Amino acid sequence: VQLQASGGGSVQAGQSLRLSCATSRRTSSNNGLGWFRQAPGKEREFVAAINWRGGSPIYASSVKDRFTISRDSATAYLQMNSLKPEDTAVYYCAVARSATGASRPEDYIYWGQGTLVTVSS
């Protein structure tokens, strides 16, 4: 199973980025999808998740109202607006064990390799 995340880069505070995560349709079309991130020296943390139909999105409080998760049958997207330096991290996409989105890493079975987002002030 491969998850290919892309779209990371270096931007200034206040700018936007859109991350994509391509999965195999057989793997993810009936599963929730999620995004996590890990900043240097910190633990991996939940960012956003969405169910198998693209509904019921959930967000970490730190990104709510700035980030938007969406998906089609095999690709997850994370639109990130009003980026802040504290959003700097490696962003990972993951396929959930169930059809719903979830916020705990243990609720995910497949993980992508990560894409680096750097936000400068």
PDB file of all heavy atoms in Angstrom, residues 3 21-24 27-36 46 48-53 57-58 69-77 93-102 108 110:
ATOM      1  N   LEU A   3       0.939   5.527  -0.021  1.00  0.00           N
ATOM      2  CA  LEU A   3       0.302   6.824   0.074  1.00  0.00           C
ATOM      3  C   LEU A   3       1.351   7.845  -0.322  1.00  0.00           C
ATOM      4  O   LEU A   3       2.428   7.886   0.272  1.00  0.00           O
ATOM      5  CB  LEU A   3      -0.180   7.112   1.496  1.00  0.00           C
ATOM      6  CG  LEU A   3      -1.450   6.424   1.972  1.00  0.00           C
ATOM      7  CD1 LEU A   3      -1.213   4.954   2.236  1.00  0.00           C
ATOM      8  CD2 LEU A   3      -1.982   7.105   3.210  1.00  0.00           C
ATOM      9  N   CYS A  21      -2.760  13.867  -1.084  1.00  0.00           N
ATOM     10  CA  CYS A  21      -2.291  12.536  -0.704  1.00  0.00           C
ATOM     11  C   CYS A  21      -3.000  11.520  -1.579  1.00  0.00           C
ATOM     12  O   CYS A  21      -4.201  11.284  -1.416  1.00  0.00           O
ATOM     13  CB  CYS A  21      -2.578  12.267   0.761  1.00  0.00           C
ATOM     14  SG  CYS A  21      -2.107  10.611   1.289  1.00  0.00           S
ATOM     15  N   ALA A  22      -2.266  10.932  -2.489  1.00  0.00           N
ATOM     16  CA  ALA A  22      -2.831   9.946  -3.398  1.00  0.00           C
ATOM     17  C   ALA A  22      -2.711   8.557  -2.791  1.00  0.00           C
ATOM     18  O   ALA A  22      -1.638   8.174  -2.327  1.00  0.00           O
ATOM     19  CB  ALA A  22      -2.105  10.004  -4.738  1.00  0.00           C
ATOM     20  N   THR A  23      -3.811   7.843  -2.776  1.00  0.00           N
ATOM     21  CA  THR A  23      -3.805   6.471  -2.275  1.00  0.00           C
ATOM     22  C   THR A  23      -4.319   5.561  -3.385  1.00  0.00           C
ATOM     23  O   THR A  23      -4.761   6.033  -4.432  1.00  0.00           O
ATOM     24  CB  THR A  23      -4.723   6.319  -1.056  1.00  0.00           C
ATOM     25  OG1 THR A  23      -6.085   6.328  -1.503  1.00  0.00           O
ATOM     26  CG2 THR A  23      -4.518   7.447  -0.064  1.00  0.00           C
ATOM     27  N   SER A  24      -4.264   4.274  -3.159  1.00  0.00           N
ATOM     28  CA  SER A  24      -4.894   3.366  -4.099  1.00  0.00           C
ATOM     29  C   SER A  24      -6.371   3.297  -3.749  1.00  0.00           C
ATOM     30  O   SER A  24      -6.727   3.195  -2.583  1.00  0.00           O
ATOM     31  CB  SER A  24      -4.259   1.981  -4.032  1.00  0.00           C
ATOM     32  OG  SER A  24      -4.479   1.401  -2.781  1.00  0.00           O
ATOM     33  N   THR A  27      -7.625   0.666  -1.520  1.00  0.00           N
ATOM     34  CA  THR A  27      -7.223   0.779  -0.127  1.00  0.00           C
ATOM     35  C   THR A  27      -8.096   1.745   0.648  1.00  0.00           C
ATOM     36  O   THR A  27      -8.392   1.508   1.810  1.00  0.00           O
ATOM     37  CB  THR A  27      -5.768   1.265  -0.041  1.00  0.00           C
ATOM     38  OG1 THR A  27      -4.932   0.342  -0.719  1.00  0.00           O
ATOM     39  CG2 THR A  27      -5.318   1.417   1.402  1.00  0.00           C
ATOM     40  N   SER A  28      -8.501   2.834   0.036  1.00  0.00           N
ATOM     41  CA  SER A  28      -9.046   3.927   0.827  1.00  0.00           C
ATOM     42  C   SER A  28     -10.470   4.331   0.516  1.00  0.00           C
ATOM     43  O   SER A  28     -11.022   5.150   1.246  1.00  0.00           O
ATOM     44  CB  SER A  28      -8.152   5.154   0.643  1.00  0.00           C
ATOM     45  OG  SER A  28      -8.243   5.613  -0.705  1.00  0.00           O
ATOM     46  N   SER A  29     -11.091   3.805  -0.533  1.00  0.00           N
ATOM     47  CA  SER A  29     -12.393   4.335  -0.935  1.00  0.00           C
ATOM     48  C   SER A  29     -13.474   4.106   0.118  1.00  0.00           C
ATOM     49  O   SER A  29     -14.452   4.846   0.166  1.00  0.00           O
ATOM     50  CB  SER A  29     -12.828   3.732  -2.270  1.00  0.00           C
ATOM     51  OG  SER A  29     -12.946   2.325  -2.156  1.00  0.00           O
ATOM     52  N   ASN A  30     -13.325   3.120   0.981  1.00  0.00           N
ATOM     53  CA  ASN A  30     -14.310   2.853   2.027  1.00  0.00           C
ATOM     54  C   ASN A  30     -13.796   3.217   3.418  1.00  0.00           C
ATOM     55  O   ASN A  30     -14.390   2.814   4.425  1.00  0.00           O
ATOM     56  CB  ASN A  30     -14.695   1.375   2.019  1.00  0.00           C
ATOM     57  CG  ASN A  30     -15.395   0.991   0.739  1.00  0.00           C
ATOM     58  OD1 ASN A  30     -16.231   1.727   0.224  1.00  0.00           O
ATOM     59  ND2 ASN A  30     -15.033  -0.165   0.199  1.00  0.00           N
ATOM     60  N   ASN A  31     -12.700   3.957   3.451  1.00  0.00           N
ATOM     61  CA  ASN A  31     -12.074   4.293   4.728  1.00  0.00           C
ATOM     62  C   ASN A  31     -11.988   5.795   4.927  1.00  0.00           C
ATOM     63  O   ASN A  31     -11.880   6.556   3.965  1.00  0.00           O
ATOM     64  CB  ASN A  31     -10.660   3.732   4.780  1.00  0.00           C
ATOM     65  CG  ASN A  31     -10.625   2.223   4.717  1.00  0.00           C
ATOM     66  OD1 ASN A  31     -10.876   1.633   3.661  1.00  0.00           O
ATOM     67  ND2 ASN A  31     -10.319   1.596   5.825  1.00  0.00           N
ATOM     68  N   GLY A  32     -11.994   6.192   6.190  1.00  0.00           N
ATOM     69  CA  GLY A  32     -11.708   7.580   6.487  1.00  0.00           C
ATOM     70  C   GLY A  32     -10.256   7.913   6.164  1.00  0.00           C
ATOM     71  O   GLY A  32      -9.401   7.024   6.090  1.00  0.00           O
ATOM     72  N   LEU A  33      -9.984   9.178   5.949  1.00  0.00           N
ATOM     73  CA  LEU A  33      -8.625   9.652   5.690  1.00  0.00           C
ATOM     74  C   LEU A  33      -8.282  10.766   6.672  1.00  0.00           C
ATOM     75  O   LEU A  33      -9.162  11.530   7.069  1.00  0.00           O
ATOM     76  CB  LEU A  33      -8.504  10.182   4.259  1.00  0.00           C
ATOM     77  CG  LEU A  33      -8.686   9.166   3.136  1.00  0.00           C
ATOM     78  CD1 LEU A  33      -8.670   9.862   1.775  1.00  0.00           C
ATOM     79  CD2 LEU A  33      -7.609   8.096   3.197  1.00  0.00           C
ATOM     80  N   GLY A  34      -7.030  10.845   7.040  1.00  0.00           N
ATOM     81  CA  GLY A  34      -6.631  11.858   7.996  1.00  0.00           C
ATOM     82  C   GLY A  34      -5.277  12.462   7.684  1.00  0.00           C
ATOM     83  O   GLY A  34      -4.496  11.908   6.902  1.00  0.00           O
ATOM     84  N   TRP A  35      -5.036  13.607   8.296  1.00  0.00           N
ATOM     85  CA  TRP A  35      -3.736  14.281   8.223  1.00  0.00           C
ATOM     86  C   TRP A  35      -3.210  14.477   9.637  1.00  0.00           C
ATOM     87  O   TRP A  35      -3.960  14.869  10.546  1.00  0.00           O
ATOM     88  CB  TRP A  35      -3.866  15.649   7.553  1.00  0.00           C
ATOM     89  CG  TRP A  35      -4.113  15.608   6.083  1.00  0.00           C
ATOM     90  CD1 TRP A  35      -5.317  15.669   5.448  1.00  0.00           C
ATOM     91  CD2 TRP A  35      -3.124  15.508   5.055  1.00  0.00           C
ATOM     92  NE1 TRP A  35      -5.145  15.603   4.087  1.00  0.00           N
ATOM     93  CE2 TRP A  35      -3.806  15.511   3.817  1.00  0.00           C
ATOM     94  CE3 TRP A  35      -1.727  15.425   5.044  1.00  0.00           C
ATOM     95  CZ2 TRP A  35      -3.133  15.425   2.599  1.00  0.00           C
ATOM     96  CZ3 TRP A  35      -1.074  15.348   3.828  1.00  0.00           C
ATOM     97  CH2 TRP A  35      -1.777  15.348   2.623  1.00  0.00           C
ATOM     98  N   PHE A  36      -1.947  14.211   9.798  1.00  0.00           N
ATOM     99  CA  PHE A  36      -1.237  14.453  11.044  1.00  0.00           C
ATOM    100  C   PHE A  36       0.011  15.270  10.718  1.00  0.00           C
ATOM    101  O   PHE A  36       0.388  15.390   9.548  1.00  0.00           O
ATOM    102  CB  PHE A  36      -0.827  13.130  11.712  1.00  0.00           C
ATOM    103  CG  PHE A  36      -1.976  12.355  12.281  1.00  0.00           C
ATOM    104  CD1 PHE A  36      -2.852  11.664  11.453  1.00  0.00           C
ATOM    105  CD2 PHE A  36      -2.191  12.315  13.650  1.00  0.00           C
ATOM    106  CE1 PHE A  36      -3.922  10.948  11.974  1.00  0.00           C
ATOM    107  CE2 PHE A  36      -3.249  11.599  14.187  1.00  0.00           C
ATOM    108  CZ  PHE A  36      -4.115  10.927  13.342  1.00  0.00           C
ATOM    109  N   PHE A  46      -2.520  15.202  15.635  1.00  0.00           N
ATOM    110  CA  PHE A  46      -3.650  15.179  14.727  1.00  0.00           C
ATOM    111  C   PHE A  46      -3.893  16.567  14.131  1.00  0.00           C
ATOM    112  O   PHE A  46      -3.782  17.590  14.822  1.00  0.00           O
ATOM    113  CB  PHE A  46      -4.890  14.709  15.476  1.00  0.00           C
ATOM    114  CG  PHE A  46      -6.170  14.870  14.717  1.00  0.00           C
ATOM    115  CD1 PHE A  46      -6.481  14.041  13.644  1.00  0.00           C
ATOM    116  CD2 PHE A  46      -7.079  15.859  15.068  1.00  0.00           C
ATOM    117  CE1 PHE A  46      -7.656  14.183  12.948  1.00  0.00           C
ATOM    118  CE2 PHE A  46      -8.265  16.014  14.377  1.00  0.00           C
ATOM    119  CZ  PHE A  46      -8.555  15.181  13.314  1.00  0.00           C
ATOM    120  N   ALA A  48      -6.432  16.879  10.927  1.00  0.00           N
ATOM    121  CA  ALA A  48      -7.788  16.849  10.385  1.00  0.00           C
ATOM    122  C   ALA A  48      -8.102  15.453   9.870  1.00  0.00           C
ATOM    123  O   ALA A  48      -7.191  14.684   9.534  1.00  0.00           O
ATOM    124  CB  ALA A  48      -7.946  17.868   9.259  1.00  0.00           C
ATOM    125  N   ALA A  49      -9.390  15.144   9.778  1.00  0.00           N
ATOM    126  CA  ALA A  49      -9.814  13.853   9.255  1.00  0.00           C
ATOM    127  C   ALA A  49     -11.182  13.988   8.623  1.00  0.00           C
ATOM    128  O   ALA A  49     -11.935  14.933   8.918  1.00  0.00           O
ATOM    129  CB  ALA A  49      -9.827  12.796  10.351  1.00  0.00           C
ATOM    130  N   ILE A  50     -11.504  13.019   7.779  1.00  0.00           N
ATOM    131  CA  ILE A  50     -12.762  13.062   7.046  1.00  0.00           C
ATOM    132  C   ILE A  50     -13.237  11.638   6.806  1.00  0.00           C
ATOM    133  O   ILE A  50     -12.417  10.718   6.734  1.00  0.00           O
ATOM    134  CB  ILE A  50     -12.551  13.824   5.714  1.00  0.00           C
ATOM    135  CG1 ILE A  50     -13.861  14.289   5.112  1.00  0.00           C
ATOM    136  CG2 ILE A  50     -11.733  13.007   4.727  1.00  0.00           C
ATOM    137  CD1 ILE A  50     -13.674  15.344   4.030  1.00  0.00           C
ATOM    138  N   ASN A  51     -14.553  11.447   6.696  1.00  0.00           N
ATOM    139  CA  ASN A  51     -15.035  10.083   6.531  1.00  0.00           C
ATOM    140  C   ASN A  51     -14.974   9.630   5.072  1.00  0.00           C
ATOM    141  O   ASN A  51     -14.560  10.377   4.188  1.00  0.00           O
ATOM    142  CB  ASN A  51     -16.440   9.919   7.131  1.00  0.00           C
ATOM    143  CG  ASN A  51     -17.521  10.639   6.336  1.00  0.00           C
ATOM    144  OD1 ASN A  51     -17.314  11.054   5.205  1.00  0.00           O
ATOM    145  ND2 ASN A  51     -18.685  10.774   6.949  1.00  0.00           N
ATOM    146  N   TRP A  52     -15.411   8.402   4.834  1.00  0.00           N
ATOM    147  CA  TRP A  52     -15.238   7.801   3.511  1.00  0.00           C
ATOM    148  C   TRP A  52     -16.047   8.503   2.434  1.00  0.00           C
ATOM    149  O   TRP A  52     -15.706   8.433   1.261  1.00  0.00           O
ATOM    150  CB  TRP A  52     -15.608   6.322   3.568  1.00  0.00           C
ATOM    151  CG  TRP A  52     -17.068   6.062   3.712  1.00  0.00           C
ATOM    152  CD1 TRP A  52     -17.834   6.232   4.821  1.00  0.00           C
ATOM    153  CD2 TRP A  52     -17.948   5.573   2.690  1.00  0.00           C
ATOM    154  NE1 TRP A  52     -19.135   5.893   4.566  1.00  0.00           N
ATOM    155  CE2 TRP A  52     -19.227   5.472   3.271  1.00  0.00           C
ATOM    156  CE3 TRP A  52     -17.772   5.216   1.355  1.00  0.00           C
ATOM    157  CZ2 TRP A  52     -20.333   5.031   2.555  1.00  0.00           C
ATOM    158  CZ3 TRP A  52     -18.871   4.761   0.634  1.00  0.00           C
ATOM    159  CH2 TRP A  52     -20.136   4.679   1.234  1.00  0.00           C
ATOM    160  N   ARG A  53     -17.095   9.200   2.826  1.00  0.00           N
ATOM    161  CA  ARG A  53     -17.916   9.915   1.845  1.00  0.00           C
ATOM    162  C   ARG A  53     -17.484  11.369   1.664  1.00  0.00           C
ATOM    163  O   ARG A  53     -18.098  12.101   0.895  1.00  0.00           O
ATOM    164  CB  ARG A  53     -19.384   9.891   2.281  1.00  0.00           C
ATOM    165  CG  ARG A  53     -20.037   8.542   2.159  1.00  0.00           C
ATOM    166  CD  ARG A  53     -21.518   8.648   2.460  1.00  0.00           C
ATOM    167  NE  ARG A  53     -22.225   7.405   2.222  1.00  0.00           N
ATOM    168  CZ  ARG A  53     -23.534   7.244   2.368  1.00  0.00           C
ATOM    169  NH1 ARG A  53     -24.273   8.264   2.767  1.00  0.00           N
ATOM    170  NH2 ARG A  53     -24.094   6.074   2.135  1.00  0.00           N
ATOM    171  N   PRO A  57     -16.095  16.292   8.619  1.00  0.00           N
ATOM    172  CA  PRO A  57     -14.702  16.609   8.907  1.00  0.00           C
ATOM    173  C   PRO A  57     -14.507  16.987  10.370  1.00  0.00           C
ATOM    174  O   PRO A  57     -15.401  17.568  10.993  1.00  0.00           O
ATOM    175  CB  PRO A  57     -14.411  17.803   7.996  1.00  0.00           C
ATOM    176  CG  PRO A  57     -15.736  18.460   7.804  1.00  0.00           C
ATOM    177  CD  PRO A  57     -16.729  17.331   7.778  1.00  0.00           C
ATOM    178  N   ILE A  58     -13.364  16.627  10.897  1.00  0.00           N
ATOM    179  CA  ILE A  58     -12.969  17.027  12.243  1.00  0.00           C
ATOM    180  C   ILE A  58     -11.586  17.671  12.166  1.00  0.00           C
ATOM    181  O   ILE A  58     -10.778  17.309  11.314  1.00  0.00           O
ATOM    182  CB  ILE A  58     -12.974  15.838  13.231  1.00  0.00           C
ATOM    183  CG1 ILE A  58     -12.099  14.689  12.728  1.00  0.00           C
ATOM    184  CG2 ILE A  58     -14.398  15.351  13.485  1.00  0.00           C
ATOM    185  CD1 ILE A  58     -11.966  13.535  13.715  1.00  0.00           C
ATOM    186  N   ILE A  69     -10.135  20.089   5.071  1.00  0.00           N
ATOM    187  CA  ILE A  69      -9.854  18.766   4.524  1.00  0.00           C
ATOM    188  C   ILE A  69     -10.957  18.386   3.553  1.00  0.00           C
ATOM    189  O   ILE A  69     -12.132  18.714   3.766  1.00  0.00           O
ATOM    190  CB  ILE A  69      -9.714  17.711   5.648  1.00  0.00           C
ATOM    191  CG1 ILE A  69      -9.235  16.373   5.066  1.00  0.00           C
ATOM    192  CG2 ILE A  69     -11.000  17.569   6.439  1.00  0.00           C
ATOM    193  CD1 ILE A  69      -8.872  15.339   6.132  1.00  0.00           C
ATOM    194  N   SER A  70     -10.587  17.727   2.493  1.00  0.00           N
ATOM    195  CA  SER A  70     -11.552  17.226   1.525  1.00  0.00           C
ATOM    196  C   SER A  70     -10.979  15.972   0.890  1.00  0.00           C
ATOM    197  O   SER A  70      -9.822  15.613   1.129  1.00  0.00           O
ATOM    198  CB  SER A  70     -11.875  18.284   0.456  1.00  0.00           C
ATOM    199  OG  SER A  70     -10.694  18.650  -0.252  1.00  0.00           O
ATOM    200  N   ARG A  71     -11.781  15.310   0.071  1.00  0.00           N
ATOM    201  CA  ARG A  71     -11.302  14.095  -0.567  1.00  0.00           C
ATOM    202  C   ARG A  71     -12.171  13.729  -1.755  1.00  0.00           C
ATOM    203  O   ARG A  71     -13.305  14.188  -1.890  1.00  0.00           O
ATOM    204  CB  ARG A  71     -11.325  12.927   0.417  1.00  0.00           C
ATOM    205  CG  ARG A  71     -12.740  12.521   0.845  1.00  0.00           C
ATOM    206  CD  ARG A  71     -12.740  11.240   1.648  1.00  0.00           C
ATOM    207  NE  ARG A  71     -12.296  10.110   0.845  1.00  0.00           N
ATOM    208  CZ  ARG A  71     -12.031   8.904   1.325  1.00  0.00           C
ATOM    209  NH1 ARG A  71     -12.148   8.683   2.632  1.00  0.00           N
ATOM    210  NH2 ARG A  71     -11.642   7.919   0.535  1.00  0.00           N
ATOM    211  N   ASP A  72     -11.615  12.873  -2.601  1.00  0.00           N
ATOM    212  CA  ASP A  72     -12.424  12.124  -3.537  1.00  0.00           C
ATOM    213  C   ASP A  72     -12.204  10.667  -3.166  1.00  0.00           C
ATOM    214  O   ASP A  72     -11.763  10.378  -2.059  1.00  0.00           O
ATOM    215  CB  ASP A  72     -12.056  12.452  -4.989  1.00  0.00           C
ATOM    216  CG  ASP A  72     -10.588  12.231  -5.305  1.00  0.00           C
ATOM    217  OD1 ASP A  72      -9.952  11.353  -4.664  1.00  0.00           O
ATOM    218  OD2 ASP A  72     -10.063  12.935  -6.180  1.00  0.00           O
ATOM    219  N   SER A  73     -12.478   9.744  -4.040  1.00  0.00           N
ATOM    220  CA  SER A  73     -12.457   8.338  -3.641  1.00  0.00           C
ATOM    221  C   SER A  73     -11.071   7.877  -3.216  1.00  0.00           C
ATOM    222  O   SER A  73     -10.933   7.004  -2.362  1.00  0.00           O
ATOM    223  CB  SER A  73     -12.966   7.456  -4.778  1.00  0.00           C
ATOM    224  OG  SER A  73     -12.146   7.619  -5.930  1.00  0.00           O
ATOM    225  N   ALA A  74     -10.029   8.463  -3.792  1.00  0.00           N
ATOM    226  CA  ALA A  74      -8.694   7.937  -3.514  1.00  0.00           C
ATOM    227  C   ALA A  74      -7.670   8.991  -3.150  1.00  0.00           C
ATOM    228  O   ALA A  74      -6.505   8.651  -2.962  1.00  0.00           O
ATOM    229  CB  ALA A  74      -8.192   7.151  -4.731  1.00  0.00           C
ATOM    230  N   THR A  75      -8.057  10.245  -3.048  1.00  0.00           N
ATOM    231  CA  THR A  75      -7.104  11.309  -2.756  1.00  0.00           C
ATOM    232  C   THR A  75      -7.636  12.193  -1.641  1.00  0.00           C
ATOM    233  O   THR A  75      -8.803  12.577  -1.666  1.00  0.00           O
ATOM    234  CB  THR A  75      -6.814  12.160  -4.006  1.00  0.00           C
ATOM    235  OG1 THR A  75      -6.371  11.310  -5.063  1.00  0.00           O
ATOM    236  CG2 THR A  75      -5.746  13.193  -3.717  1.00  0.00           C
ATOM    237  N   ALA A  76      -6.763  12.490  -0.698  1.00  0.00           N
ATOM    238  CA  ALA A  76      -7.102  13.430   0.360  1.00  0.00           C
ATOM    239  C   ALA A  76      -6.407  14.751   0.094  1.00  0.00           C
ATOM    240  O   ALA A  76      -5.297  14.788  -0.450  1.00  0.00           O
ATOM    241  CB  ALA A  76      -6.646  12.876   1.716  1.00  0.00           C
ATOM    242  N   TYR A  77      -7.066  15.825   0.462  1.00  0.00           N
ATOM    243  CA  TYR A  77      -6.513  17.160   0.276  1.00  0.00           C
ATOM    244  C   TYR A  77      -6.559  17.902   1.612  1.00  0.00           C
ATOM    245  O   TYR A  77      -7.446  17.683   2.435  1.00  0.00           O
ATOM    246  CB  TYR A  77      -7.327  17.944  -0.766  1.00  0.00           C
ATOM    247  CG  TYR A  77      -7.440  17.261  -2.099  1.00  0.00           C
ATOM    248  CD1 TYR A  77      -8.554  16.471  -2.406  1.00  0.00           C
ATOM    249  CD2 TYR A  77      -6.438  17.377  -3.051  1.00  0.00           C
ATOM    250  CE1 TYR A  77      -8.664  15.829  -3.624  1.00  0.00           C
ATOM    251  CE2 TYR A  77      -6.544  16.746  -4.281  1.00  0.00           C
ATOM    252  CZ  TYR A  77      -7.656  15.972  -4.561  1.00  0.00           C
ATOM    253  OH  TYR A  77      -7.755  15.340  -5.773  1.00  0.00           O
ATOM    254  N   CYS A  93      -0.244  11.907   5.707  1.00  0.00           N
ATOM    255  CA  CYS A  93      -1.614  11.460   5.489  1.00  0.00           C
ATOM    256  C   CYS A  93      -1.716   9.996   5.906  1.00  0.00           C
ATOM    257  O   CYS A  93      -0.705   9.274   5.942  1.00  0.00           O
ATOM    258  CB  CYS A  93      -2.036  11.633   4.038  1.00  0.00           C
ATOM    259  SG  CYS A  93      -1.015  10.752   2.854  1.00  0.00           S
ATOM    260  N   ALA A  94      -2.924   9.579   6.220  1.00  0.00           N
ATOM    261  CA  ALA A  94      -3.109   8.218   6.699  1.00  0.00           C
ATOM    262  C   ALA A  94      -4.505   7.712   6.364  1.00  0.00           C
ATOM    263  O   ALA A  94      -5.450   8.502   6.230  1.00  0.00           O
ATOM    264  CB  ALA A  94      -2.887   8.155   8.204  1.00  0.00           C
ATOM    265  N   VAL A  95      -4.610   6.392   6.224  1.00  0.00           N
ATOM    266  CA  VAL A  95      -5.886   5.728   5.960  1.00  0.00           C
ATOM    267  C   VAL A  95      -6.406   5.138   7.264  1.00  0.00           C
ATOM    268  O   VAL A  95      -5.693   4.386   7.942  1.00  0.00           O
ATOM    269  CB  VAL A  95      -5.715   4.620   4.911  1.00  0.00           C
ATOM    270  CG1 VAL A  95      -7.038   3.874   4.699  1.00  0.00           C
ATOM    271  CG2 VAL A  95      -5.209   5.202   3.594  1.00  0.00           C
ATOM    272  N   ALA A  96      -7.635   5.482   7.598  1.00  0.00           N
ATOM    273  CA  ALA A  96      -8.223   5.020   8.853  1.00  0.00           C
ATOM    274  C   ALA A  96      -8.623   3.548   8.789  1.00  0.00           C
ATOM    275  O   ALA A  96      -8.850   2.997   7.716  1.00  0.00           O
ATOM    276  CB  ALA A  96      -9.447   5.871   9.202  1.00  0.00           C
ATOM    277  N   ARG A  97      -8.730   2.948   9.958  1.00  0.00           N
ATOM    278  CA  ARG A  97      -9.180   1.559  10.044  1.00  0.00           C
ATOM    279  C   ARG A  97     -10.660   1.433   9.703  1.00  0.00           C
ATOM    280  O   ARG A  97     -11.103   0.394   9.245  1.00  0.00           O
ATOM    281  CB  ARG A  97      -8.951   1.017  11.454  1.00  0.00           C
ATOM    282  CG  ARG A  97      -7.513   0.984  11.886  1.00  0.00           C
ATOM    283  CD  ARG A  97      -7.345   0.418  13.288  1.00  0.00           C
ATOM    284  NE  ARG A  97      -5.952   0.500  13.709  1.00  0.00           N
ATOM    285  CZ  ARG A  97      -5.035  -0.400  13.389  1.00  0.00           C
ATOM    286  NH1 ARG A  97      -5.358  -1.453  12.659  1.00  0.00           N
ATOM    287  NH2 ARG A  97      -3.793  -0.251  13.810  1.00  0.00           N
ATOM    288  N   SER A  98     -11.406   2.494   9.954  1.00  0.00           N
ATOM    289  CA  SER A  98     -12.849   2.442   9.744  1.00  0.00           C
ATOM    290  C   SER A  98     -13.275   3.457   8.693  1.00  0.00           C
ATOM    291  O   SER A  98     -12.453   4.181   8.138  1.00  0.00           O
ATOM    292  CB  SER A  98     -13.568   2.730  11.066  1.00  0.00           C
ATOM    293  OG  SER A  98     -13.422   4.094  11.392  1.00  0.00           O
ATOM    294  N   ALA A  99     -14.587   3.523   8.474  1.00  0.00           N
ATOM    295  CA  ALA A  99     -15.120   4.450   7.472  1.00  0.00           C
ATOM    296  C   ALA A  99     -15.164   5.892   7.955  1.00  0.00           C
ATOM    297  O   ALA A  99     -15.349   6.810   7.163  1.00  0.00           O
ATOM    298  CB  ALA A  99     -16.522   3.999   7.061  1.00  0.00           C
ATOM    299  N   THR A 100     -15.014   6.080   9.239  1.00  0.00           N
ATOM    300  CA  THR A 100     -15.090   7.433   9.779  1.00  0.00           C
ATOM    301  C   THR A 100     -13.698   8.019   9.967  1.00  0.00           C
ATOM    302  O   THR A 100     -12.697   7.293  10.027  1.00  0.00           O
ATOM    303  CB  THR A 100     -15.817   7.439  11.130  1.00  0.00           C
ATOM    304  OG1 THR A 100     -15.090   6.598  12.040  1.00  0.00           O
ATOM    305  CG2 THR A 100     -17.224   6.903  10.984  1.00  0.00           C
ATOM    306  N   GLY A 101     -13.632   9.327  10.087  1.00  0.00           N
ATOM    307  CA  GLY A 101     -12.383   9.978  10.437  1.00  0.00           C
ATOM    308  C   GLY A 101     -12.122   9.806  11.915  1.00  0.00           C
ATOM    309  O   GLY A 101     -13.030   9.553  12.689  1.00  0.00           O
ATOM    310  N   ALA A 102     -10.873   9.920  12.317  1.00  0.00           N
ATOM    311  CA  ALA A 102     -10.508   9.732  13.711  1.00  0.00           C
ATOM    312  C   ALA A 102      -9.308  10.608  14.036  1.00  0.00           C
ATOM    313  O   ALA A 102      -8.573  11.029  13.140  1.00  0.00           O
ATOM    314  CB  ALA A 102     -10.182   8.269  13.981  1.00  0.00           C
ATOM    315  N   TYR A 108      -5.397   4.491  12.667  1.00  0.00           N
ATOM    316  CA  TYR A 108      -4.993   4.489  11.262  1.00  0.00           C
ATOM    317  C   TYR A 108      -4.099   3.297  10.967  1.00  0.00           C
ATOM    318  O   TYR A 108      -3.295   2.881  11.802  1.00  0.00           O
ATOM    319  CB  TYR A 108      -4.283   5.807  10.917  1.00  0.00           C
ATOM    320  CG  TYR A 108      -5.247   6.961  10.917  1.00  0.00           C
ATOM    321  CD1 TYR A 108      -5.630   7.570  12.102  1.00  0.00           C
ATOM    322  CD2 TYR A 108      -5.815   7.409   9.731  1.00  0.00           C
ATOM    323  CE1 TYR A 108      -6.552   8.605  12.107  1.00  0.00           C
ATOM    324  CE2 TYR A 108      -6.730   8.447   9.720  1.00  0.00           C
ATOM    325  CZ  TYR A 108      -7.097   9.034  10.922  1.00  0.00           C
ATOM    326  OH  TYR A 108      -8.021  10.048  10.919  1.00  0.00           O
ATOM    327  N   TYR A 110      -2.571   2.754   7.541  1.00  0.00           N
ATOM    328  CA  TYR A 110      -1.550   3.017   6.527  1.00  0.00           C
ATOM    329  C   TYR A 110      -1.141   4.490   6.602  1.00  0.00           C
ATOM    330  O   TYR A 110      -1.995   5.375   6.770  1.00  0.00           O
ATOM    331  CB  TYR A 110      -2.085   2.727   5.110  1.00  0.00           C
ATOM    332  CG  TYR A 110      -2.575   1.322   4.922  1.00  0.00           C
ATOM    333  CD1 TYR A 110      -3.895   1.064   4.574  1.00  0.00           C
ATOM    334  CD2 TYR A 110      -1.710   0.245   5.077  1.00  0.00           C
ATOM    335  CE1 TYR A 110      -4.350  -0.225   4.386  1.00  0.00           C
ATOM    336  CE2 TYR A 110      -2.161  -1.055   4.895  1.00  0.00           C
ATOM    337  CZ  TYR A 110      -3.474  -1.275   4.557  1.00  0.00           C
ATOM    338  OH  TYR A 110      -3.920  -2.562   4.390  1.00  0.00           O
TER     339      TYR A 110
END
